[in-house]
Amino acid sequence: MRQEEQIIRTEYSELMQKSYIDYAMSVIIARALPDVRDGLKPVQRRTLYDMYELGIRYDKPYRKCARIVGDTMGKYHPHGDSSIYEALVVMAQDFKKGLPLVDGHGNFGSIEGDGAAAMRYTEARLQKITQEAYLADLDKNVVDFVPNFDETEKEPEVLPVKVPNLLLNGAEGIAVGMTTSIPPHNFGEVIDGVIAYMKDPDINTEQMMRYIPGPDFPTGASILGKSGIRAAYRTGRGKILVRATAEIQPMEHGREKIVVTEIPYMVNKLRLIEKIADLVKEKRVEGISDLYDASAGDDIQIIIELKKDANANVILNQLYKYTQLQESFGAILLALVDGKPVVMNLQQMLAEYLKHQEEVVTRRTRYNLEKAEKRAHILEGLRIAISNIDEVIHIIRTSYDNAKERLMERFALSELQAQAILEMQLRRLQGLEHEKIDAEYRDLQEKIAYYRSLLADEKKLLGVIREELQEIKEKYADPRRTKLVANPGEIDVEDLIEEETCVFTL
C-alpha cells in the first residue's frame, strides 16, 4: 500500500470542532464542575478518598501535604501536583469554606490573599465531619467504584455524602463555555430545608426560603434584599448584593471613624485597603485622614479615620459604591447531573441530593441485610451442632479429609455452615454457650426483619435519612454569620399589598 493511500483527508474545521468538543467535555466533566450528588469536583473527591485510604483520620497525627499530593497524583489524579495542592488548601480554608473538610496544620494562606506555604512545609488530616458524613460506609458497597486512569486502582465514582455539600460549601469553577458559582449556606438551615422538602416535594421557592433564607458566607457581612436570592433559587441564576459590616464610631475632638469588621465573601482584604488608599490619593473620596489595618488573626478591623467636618455616612456610601466593601455575588447553580452540566433551581438540587441519599441508604441496607443473613445462616448451623454436640465431635475426630462432607450429609448443612463448625476449636465447640448463640440469633432475626422492612417501604427509608440528618445537625450546626437586611433601593411586591384578614369560601 502506497503512503498516499494511508492518508485520511479531513476538513480542517471539522477536525478542530471535534477536537475542541472533546477537550471541552473533558474539562466540564473531569475537572471544573462539581457533581450534584456529593458537591465535589474530581480533584477534591480523589484527594479526600486518598487521605481516607492513607488512614489520615481526624484522631491520627497530621501528615505532610507533599505525601498526600504525591499519592493522589500517582494513584488517581494525573493532572499535576499544583491543582491537587490548591484543592487541598481551599478545603482547609475557613474563610472560603463554610464547612472545611480538611484540618490544615501550618500556613494555609489568609484572607489578605497570602498563598499557602509550599506543600513540603504544611501538614493535613481529615476533619471529623468529613469522616462521619462524607466518607462513612465506603466499605459497604454504597457507591460504585471505577478504574483509575491507568486501571491499576479503583476509586469511588461519587462519595456517599450524607449532607447536601453542594449547598453547604458552594462551588466555584470555570469550564469551557460555562461557569459555576454556588454560594455557601448555613448548615442547620440547609438540613431544615431538606427535611421540609422531604415532607412536601411540591414546596415552592417562597416557602423554601422560610427554611433556607439565603446564603451564609464564612466571612459574615450582610446580604441586601431578597430579589437576588429569590431569582437564584427559582431559576438557578441571580445577582446577590453583599455589603461589608461597618460601624461609625466617635473619636476625640468631635471626629469620627469607620470600623469595618466583616468584608464580602472572596474579597481580598489587602487589595480592598489599597483601593481605598488609591481613591483618597486620586481625591475621588475626600474626608479621610488616616487608613490602617488593625486586624488580628481572624478578627478583621479596618480603621478609616475621618477629618473633623467630614460626613461619615456620605463617605461610607461612597466606599460602598467605589470599592469592594459592597460586592455583587453572581450565583449560577450549575452542576453535573448524570454526567451532564445542568443549571438547577433550589428544589431540583435538593431532589438530586435526596435521590443519591436514597440510593446510598438502600445499598447500605442491602449490604447489612446480606451480612446479617450470612451470620444468621452460620448460627443456624452452630445451633444444630450444639444440639448434636457428641455426634459432631465424633465425626470430626474420626474423619480425615471428608469431615465437611460428612457433616453436610448427616445434618443437612450448607458448605458455609459446615466450614464454620470445622473452623472452631474443639474445646470451644464443646463449651459453646447455647444461650449466647440463641441471643445473637434472635438479635439478628430482628435486624433482618428491620432491614427488609426498610427496603420494602420508601417512607421508612426516608425516615432513616431524616433521623441521620437531625443527628448530624445537632452535632455540627452553627449560628448564621451573614445577616439578611432590606435593600433600601429594592421594592418588594409584598410590601405594596396591604395586610387584611380574608375569608375564602369554597
Side-chain angles (χ1 to χ4, degrees):
M1 190 182 281
R2 295 202 312 273
Q3 191 174 356
E4 290 81 8
E5 291 172 4
Q6 292 176 17
I7 296 169
I8 300 166
R9 297 190 177 277
T10 311
E11 185 67 39
Y12 184 74
S13 61
E14 282 178 23
L15 184 68
M16 286 298 290
Q17 193 175 10
K18 184 184 178 301
S19 300
Y20 193 73
I21 286 169
D22 290 345
Y23 161 73
M25 288 309 293
S26 174
V27 172
I28 288 164
I29 292 163
R31 290 207 202 182
L33 300 184
D35 192 297
V36 72
R37 294 170 292 176
D38 63 5
L40 298 169
K41 297 178 188 181
V43 64
Q44 295 170 322
R45 187 180 303 117
R46 288 164 175 167
T47 305
L48 292 176
Y49 178 65
D50 186 73
M51 291 174 78
Y52 168 82
E53 282 280 276
L54 291 172
I56 312 171
R57 311 295 163 89
Y58 76 95
D59 52 354
K60 297 283 191 296
Y62 293 94
R63 295 279 281 278
K64 283 282 183 194
C65 288
R67 169 69 205 275
I68 297 164
V69 170
D71 204 64
T72 304
M73 185 166 65
K75 285 183 182 174
Y76 309 116
H77 197 76
H79 299 294
D81 56 354
S82 60
S83 64
I84 299 167
Y85 186 50
E86 195 178 315
L88 181 67
V89 165
V90 169
M91 286 193 288
Q93 291 177 327
D94 58 5
F95 55 89
K96 282 191 181 170
K97 295 289 176 190
L99 191 70
L101 303 178
V102 171
D103 179 8
H105 185 239
N107 176 12
F108 273 78
S110 74
I111 199 166
E112 292 181 353
D114 301 319
M119 66 179 97
R120 61 183 178 274
Y121 300 121
T122 55
E123 297 175 322
R125 63 184 176 190
L126 293 170
Q127 290 275 18
K128 190 177 182 182
I129 188 168
T130 315
Q131 250 177 259
E132 292 181 357
Y134 286 68
L135 296 157
D137 303 324
L138 264 177
D139 56 344
K140 292 185 176 179
N141 191 33
V142 288
V143 291
D144 291 332
F145 276 72
V146 293
N148 69 335
F149 63 92
D150 62 359
E151 300 189 357
T152 56
E153 300 275 347
K154 291 269 189 180
E155 60 174 305
E157 184 186 47
V158 65
L159 291 186
V161 177
K162 291 181 181 179
V163 292
N165 180 58
L166 191 59
L167 278 171
L168 290 175
N169 267 331
E172 295 279 331
I174 299 168
V176 178
M178 61 187 71
T179 181
T180 185
S181 181
I182 302 168
H185 289 75
N186 181 268
F187 197 100
E189 290 174 357
V190 168
I191 288 178
D192 287 342
V194 172
I195 291 168
Y197 180 81
M198 288 167 80
K199 288 176 183 172
D200 178 16
D202 297 321
I203 190 169
N204 62 34
T205 305
E206 288 295 334
Q207 291 166 332
M208 183 58 81
M209 282 177 70
R210 292 175 195 164
Y211 304 97
I212 308 175
D216 185 25
F217 300 112
T219 51
S222 301
I223 292 174
L224 300 185
K226 290 182 182 176
S227 61
I229 301 169
R230 197 180 286 115
Y233 288 172
R234 189 178 284 152
T235 66
R237 294 175 188 270
K239 196 170 274 189
I240 298 165
L241 212 54
V242 188
R243 180 179 279 187
T245 300
E247 190 184 349
I248 297 165
Q249 295 179 0
M251 289 172 64
E252 294 174 351
H253 311 300
R255 290 167 62 208
E256 290 180 314
K257 64 180 178 181
I258 298 167
V259 181
V260 179
T261 52
E262 292 174 348
I263 59 175
Y265 184 57
M266 301 294 271
V267 167
N268 184 316
K269 187 174 64 146
L270 195 62
R271 285 200 203 130
L272 172 65
I273 294 167
E274 286 171 357
K275 176 68 179 174
I276 296 170
D278 289 342
L279 289 172
V280 175
K281 277 181 198 169
E282 293 163 11
K283 295 196 164 122
R284 289 178 68 192
V285 174
E286 294 182 346
I288 294 174
S289 63
D290 198 5
L291 167 69
Y292 57 94
D293 186 6
S295 306
D298 295 333
D299 183 25
I300 292 174
Q301 274 212 331
I302 301 168
I303 311 291
I304 304 160
E305 292 187 0
L306 309 180
K307 292 175 183 174
K308 192 169 184 181
D309 299 325
N311 186 322
N313 286 305
V314 170
I315 291 169
L316 187 54
N317 284 330
Q318 286 176 328
L319 293 176
Y320 286 146
K321 185 177 181 181
Y322 297 126
T323 73
Q324 286 184 299
L325 279 180
Q326 185 167 298
E327 186 79 333
S328 62
F329 184 96
I332 305 168
L333 311 185
L334 175 79
L336 295 174
V337 180
D338 298 326
K340 295 172 188 169
V342 179
V343 176
M344 290 165 284
N345 62 30
L346 185 60
Q347 289 90 327
Q348 287 170 319
M349 285 176 84
L350 294 178
E352 291 297 333
Y353 153 76
L354 267 177
K355 201 196 299 181
H356 175 54
Q357 269 307 291
E358 280 191 62
E359 188 185 346
V360 166
V361 175
T362 300
R363 289 176 67 157
R364 184 182 71 195
T365 307
R366 280 203 198 109
Y367 176 89
N368 288 335
L369 176 63
E370 284 170 22
K371 194 177 173 185
E373 284 177 337
K374 189 177 176 182
R375 178 65 184 158
H377 181 64
I378 288 169
L379 288 178
E380 282 166 3
L382 293 177
R383 291 172 87 197
I384 292 168
I386 291 168
S387 303
N388 304 274
I389 192 74
D390 295 333
E391 194 177 348
V392 167
I393 290 168
H394 176 73
I395 289 170
I396 293 169
R397 280 182 171 158
T398 56
S399 305
Y400 295 101
D401 299 325
N402 63 340
K404 189 197 287 183
E405 288 76 15
R406 284 181 66 190
L407 285 171
M408 287 166 67
E409 190 180 333
R410 171 66 187 85
F411 301 110
L413 299 173
S414 71
E415 190 175 343
L416 200 68
Q417 290 170 322
Q419 188 63 40
I421 293 166
L422 288 173
E423 282 174 1
M424 293 190 85
Q425 295 171 348
L426 272 178
R427 58 190 171 82
R428 277 196 65 202
L429 202 61
Q430 282 175 311
L432 273 175
E433 299 170 36
H434 209 299
E435 285 178 18
K436 195 176 173 184
I437 285 178
D438 278 350
E440 189 186 349
Y441 184 72
R442 282 195 302 273
D443 183 51
L444 281 170
Q445 289 301 321
E446 284 175 19
K447 283 181 180 174
I448 288 165
Y450 171 67
Y451 295 143
R452 284 177 178 161
S453 71
L454 278 187
L455 294 172
D457 188 351
E458 192 186 2
K459 282 184 181 175
K460 210 168 181 179
L461 196 78
L462 288 171
V464 170
I465 296 170
R466 195 181 299 115
E467 282 169 24
E468 288 183 0
L469 283 172
Q470 288 282 19
E471 280 174 29
I472 294 168
K473 181 192 163 185
E474 283 168 21
K475 209 169 178 182
Y476 295 104
D478 54 349
R480 168 173 270 279
R481 282 167 273 200
T482 302
K483 293 176 281 295
L484 300 166
V485 297
N487 184 354
E490 177 185 300
I491 297 172
D492 197 321
V493 178
E494 289 177 20
D495 297 335
L496 302 177
I497 302 165
E498 191 180 337
E499 277 196 35
E500 293 177 351
T501 306
C502 301
V503 176
F504 293 92
T505 56
L506 192 66

